[in-house]
Structures are given as C-alpha cells and as structure tokens.
Amino acid sequence: MKIEIWSDYVCPFCYIGKRNFEIGLEQFEHKEEVEVVFRSFQLDSYAKKNTGMDIHQVLSSKHGIPYEKAKALNDQMVQQTKAVGLDYQMDKMIPTNSYDAHRLSYYAKEKGKMKEFIERIMKAHFTDSLDIGDHATLVQLASEIGLDVNEALDVLVNDKYNENIAADRAEGSKIGIQGVPFFVVNDKYAISGAQPSQVFLEILQRVWKEEYANAKVEKYKLKSSLDDYCSDGTCKF
C-alpha cells in the first residue's frame, strides 16, 4: 500500500496532519506493508526570506486582518497542536521561503533519510524557532540526521533538485491539489487536511479490506474554526 503526502514545511496544518497520520498508521495492523512517499507542494513560491516580521504580522498583511486577530488565530493554532503532542512557538517563529528546504529534502531522500529530514525541518521551524530558509541552518539540520555537510551545502549552492519540486507541483496540480496537507492512498482515496488519526486509520483499513479494488475517490474535509487562516484543515496557496 502506498501513501503519498503533499506538504509544505511552513504550513502549520502539515505538521499536525503528519503527526495524526503517524498515530493512525501506528495503530494499523499492516503498517509494515505501507510505503510512505513525501511530495513537495510549496504554498508560496514568492515568499521572502528575512522579512523582519513575525508570523502574526505576515498573516495580518496577507489576509488584511488586524494584528491582534492574526495573533489570536495563531494562539488558537498553538492550542490545537498540543492535542497531538506538538509544541508550536508561533511568537518566535521565523517566516521564510521553504524552497531550499524542499530541495534539500530530495538529497535526503537519495540518502534514505527523507522521513528524518522532514521531521527535523518541521520541528526546527515550528518548535525550535530556527530559520529554515537559511543555508547554514539547513546544513546544520542535515548534519544532525547524519547527512554529509559538504554534500548538503553543494545541493543548496548549486540549485540542485529544482526539477523534483517542479515535477511534484505539476503532478499535484494535475490531481487537483489546492491546499496541503493532502494524502493519496493507492491513487484511489484522497484525504484533504489535517484529519484526526482515526480517519487515517479507517482509510487504511478500508483500502486493505478492499484489496486495492477500484473505488471512488473520497475526500474528507475537516471543519476548522480558523476559516480566515487555513480553512478545511489545509493551508491554501
């Protein structure tokens, strides 16, 4: 069974969705038969590095809402993450462009370390308040999971793996992805948003029970009170 996960490392719902999926997968009795494939889907390719703004200012500017409302929405997000054991530090988060982090993830994939890299990069952004758009930071994070420092730097300096990101974007657009996280199971079931772990478990069980029979793609939408931010449990681009 194959599960493809489209996500962006700066999308707050993507880390939540990833964790919920992992919790559901852990309860799946055939988890050893599941192949997880991570795909990139950058929400804002024009996002700036070194904005000089905090995440509340970025949200306020992007959606045209007062700063205090933006902060209240982000505070609400923090409370939501605690339910799945995550610790978002929104006040200290460094807004940046995730493109280079996505490129480096493909180097990690070649070395069999993509899962570890994605977990580390998301924790770095949402919990450790690190700048994941900075090359020195990215190289350090790569080294922490056992990747070669010089090779990682070479990837970043020489703009490698651009074609991988473009290919993922093209395929994601082809199947109609408009927001992340987005999960596709065996090219049959699409799960949109940071669904509860039970939803992921039920889908895994259903697909296994049907023995990969053709089935209508079903989309599950997660109702969110953060409608002004990322509706349906997804971040839109």
Side-chain angles (χ1 to χ4, degrees), residues 120-186:
R120 185 65 190 97
I121 209 76
M122 287 184 163
K123 182 177 183 294
H125 182 64
F126 291 106
T127 300
D128 299 335
S129 307
L130 298 177
D131 183 357
I132 64 168
D134 176 69
H135 283 190
T137 299
L138 289 171
V139 169
Q140 174 59 36
L141 295 173
S143 71
E144 288 179 15
I145 63 167
L147 295 174
D148 184 88
V149 170
N150 293 324
E151 290 181 355
L153 183 59
D154 179 63
V155 168
L156 297 170
V157 172
N158 292 300
D159 294 327
K160 294 183 177 180
Y161 300 101
N162 294 326
E163 65 280 3
N164 298 79
I165 296 177
D168 277 356
R169 164 67 68 167
E171 184 171 349
S173 297
K174 183 179 180 180
I175 64 177
I177 297 177
Q178 296 184 344
V180 289
F182 196 86
F183 305 76
V184 177
V185 184
N186 274 7

Side-chain angles (χ1 to χ4, degrees), residues 95-235:
T96 191
N97 189 298
S98 61
Y99 190 79
D100 287 338
H102 281 293
R103 289 197 297 112
L104 197 56
S105 73
Y106 287 100
Y107 163 65
K109 181 178 182 179
E110 280 194 358
K111 300 299 181 180
K113 295 261 185 187
M114 195 170 197
K115 178 181 178 181
E116 293 84 351
F117 180 81
I118 291 176
E119 176 63 29
R120 185 65 190 97
I121 209 76
M122 287 184 163
K123 182 177 183 294
H125 182 64
F126 291 106
T127 300
D128 299 335
S129 307
L130 298 177
D131 183 357
I132 64 168
D134 176 69
H135 283 190
T137 299
L138 289 171
V139 169
Q140 174 59 36
L141 295 173
S143 71
E144 288 179 15
I145 63 167
L147 295 174
D148 184 88
V149 170
N150 293 324
E151 290 181 355
L153 183 59
D154 179 63
V155 168
L156 297 170
V157 172
N158 292 300
D159 294 327
K160 294 183 177 180
Y161 300 101
N162 294 326
E163 65 280 3
N164 298 79
I165 296 177
D168 277 356
R169 164 67 68 167
E171 184 171 349
S173 297
K174 183 179 180 180
I175 64 177
I177 297 177
Q178 296 184 344
V180 289
F182 196 86
F183 305 76
V184 177
V185 184
N186 274 7
D187 299 317
K188 298 173 183 177
Y189 293 87
I191 309 171
S192 177
Q195 299 297 328
S197 59
Q198 186 60 32
V199 170
F200 289 112
L201 177 59
E202 289 173 357
I203 290 294
L204 292 171
Q205 291 172 334
R206 180 184 303 180
V207 174
W208 188 269
K209 184 178 180 180
E210 294 179 355
E211 298 180 343
Y212 315 115
N214 291 328
K216 180 180 179 181
V217 172
E218 298 183 14
K219 293 186 178 180
Y220 292 82
K221 298 296 185 180
L222 176 63
K223 292 183 179 179
S224 171
S225 57
L226 305 179
D227 292 333
D228 293 322
Y229 189 6
C230 298
S231 62
D232 297 328
T234 63
C235 288

Side-chain angles (χ1 to χ4, degrees), residues 27-74:
Q27 300 174 65
F28 183 50
E29 62 178 325
H30 304 290
K31 61 184 178 182
E32 300 301 328
E33 303 298 322
V34 176
E35 174 191 8
V36 180
V37 178
F38 291 99
R39 310 294 293 269
S40 65
F41 198 88
Q42 192 182 24
L43 292 166
D44 183 5
S45 59
Y46 298 102
K48 296 180 180 179
K49 298 182 180 181
N50 306 314
T51 64
M53 297 190 294
D54 62 31
I55 192 63
H56 313 309
Q57 291 173 303
V58 171
L59 179 61
S60 173
S61 175
K62 182 176 182 179
H63 295 282
I65 59 177
Y67 179 88
E68 289 305 318
K69 181 175 182 180
K71 188 177 187 308
L73 289 169
N74 283 328

